[in-house]
Amino acid sequence: NAGVTQTPKFRILKIGQSMTLQCAQDMNHNYMYWYRQDPGMGLKLIYYSVGAGITDKGEVPNGYNVSRSTTEDFPLRLELAAPSQTSVYFCASTPQGADTQYFGPGTRLTVL
Amino acid sequence: GDSVTQMEGPVTLSEEAFLTINCTYTATGYPSLFWYVQYPGEGLQLLLKATKADDKGSNKGFEATYRKETTSFHLEKGSVQVSDSAVYFCALVNTGFQKLVFGTGTRLLVSP
């Protein structure tokens, strides 16, 4: 099993550009999450999903959008990139009823 | 809201030294508590967990005990190795959908 995969690994954007961070899991997990990790700040929850077609905001959702059309995929969309969105983004998943989250390797995004 | 506080790093130790990383939490009710570890260039992975008061989680020589009276979940290891160098995150889950609340992380550097 590949587990949780994320693409791209690195990306540099200009202010105002848009992009989609991809996340996929092959473990048939219902719950999926997007976090951002800023230096010295730990991880903050951006959005989460409890199943296909169901998403909800986390702690820091402004400037982001998500969709969940399938169980496997949970893309994160940045519409108008800003320097404040420079961060490392992690996707995670867990089965419903379980408490251990499985993380992808992360995407390092720089907005200049 | 819920929160997790960790000791600031970096923690610098020599190989075979004793490790303690302090973690305290603020939460209503009875959260589940976790330690996640992030090795350089990788995503987070679960190190250990405890789901109720007085439980001890353990893995790879690391231990942590859920102390409700002091709202703490300190991470300990009797003899660290160079390969333990990583960032350690304390976290809790206290609400539905297994949403994690993270501390800021503590970097551990172990020298030979």
Side-chain angles (χ1 to χ4, degrees):
Chain A
N1 283 349
V4 180
T5 57
Q6 293 183 239
T7 56
K9 291 189 185 302
F10 306 93
R11 183 73 184 268
I12 299 174
L13 284 181
K14 294 182 179 178
I15 295 172
Q17 288 184 320
S18 62
M19 77 164 294
T20 298
L21 282 67
Q22 301 292 344
C23 173
Q25 53 91 9
D26 61 0
M27 298 174 284
N28 202 33
H29 289 173
N30 286 349
Y31 293 0
M32 296 187 74
Y33 311 83
W34 274 106
Y35 297 91
R36 58 176 289 171
Q37 182 183 26
D38 299 322
M41 296 296 292
L43 280 75
K44 302 290 186 184
L45 182 65
I46 305 172
Y47 271 95
Y48 68 99
S49 169
V50 299
I54 307 170
T55 63
D56 206 350
K57 296 177 181 178
E59 187 179 356
V60 291
N62 291 344
Y64 308 94
N65 280 299
V66 293
S67 60
R68 184 98 180 268
S69 57
T70 67
T71 299
E72 294 77 19
D73 300 300
F74 190 40
L76 179 71
R77 178 81 176 166
L78 285 70
E79 290 294 349
L80 290 171
S84 60
Q85 294 177 304
T86 294
S87 189
V88 181
Y89 292 84
F90 289 101
C91 180
S93 71
T94 188
Q96 183 177 355
D99 57 13
T100 299
Q101 292 190 15
Y102 298 83
F103 284 79
T107 294
R108 183 176 295 274
L109 175 67
T110 302
V111 182
L112 300 174
Chain B
D2 299 339
S3 65
V4 175
T5 302
Q6 288 181 240
M7 63 188 288
E8 289 197 17
V11 173
T12 304
L13 295 173
S14 298
E15 206 165 24
E16 298 184 1
F18 184 86
L19 168 71
T20 300
I21 300 178
N22 290 338
C23 171
T24 58
Y25 68 90
T26 300
T28 58
Y30 299 90
S32 294
L33 302 176
F34 304 82
W35 278 100
Y36 278 82
V37 59
Q38 183 181 28
Y39 297 104
E42 299 183 9
L44 282 71
Q45 55 187 274
L46 180 68
L47 180 60
L48 53 84
K49 66 182 181 183
T51 57
K52 61 182 187 293
D54 299 325
D55 268 2
K56 177 185 284 189
S58 61
N59 186 25
K60 299 181 181 179
F62 291 89
E63 294 183 340
T65 300
Y66 189 142
R67 302 286 188 198
K68 187 156 180 66
E69 64 275 14
T70 55
T71 61
S72 65
F73 193 53
H74 304 321
L75 182 69
E76 296 182 336
K77 187 175 185 183
S79 176
V80 294
Q81 305 300 312
V82 173
S83 57
D84 293 327
S85 297
V87 180
Y88 293 82
F89 291 92
C90 187
L92 65 83
V93 166
N94 194 32
T95 60
F97 310 124
Q98 280 78 267
K99 291 181 288 183
L100 282 164
V101 175
F102 284 92
T104 54
T106 302
R107 182 175 298 277
L108 171 65
L109 300 170
V110 181
S111 57

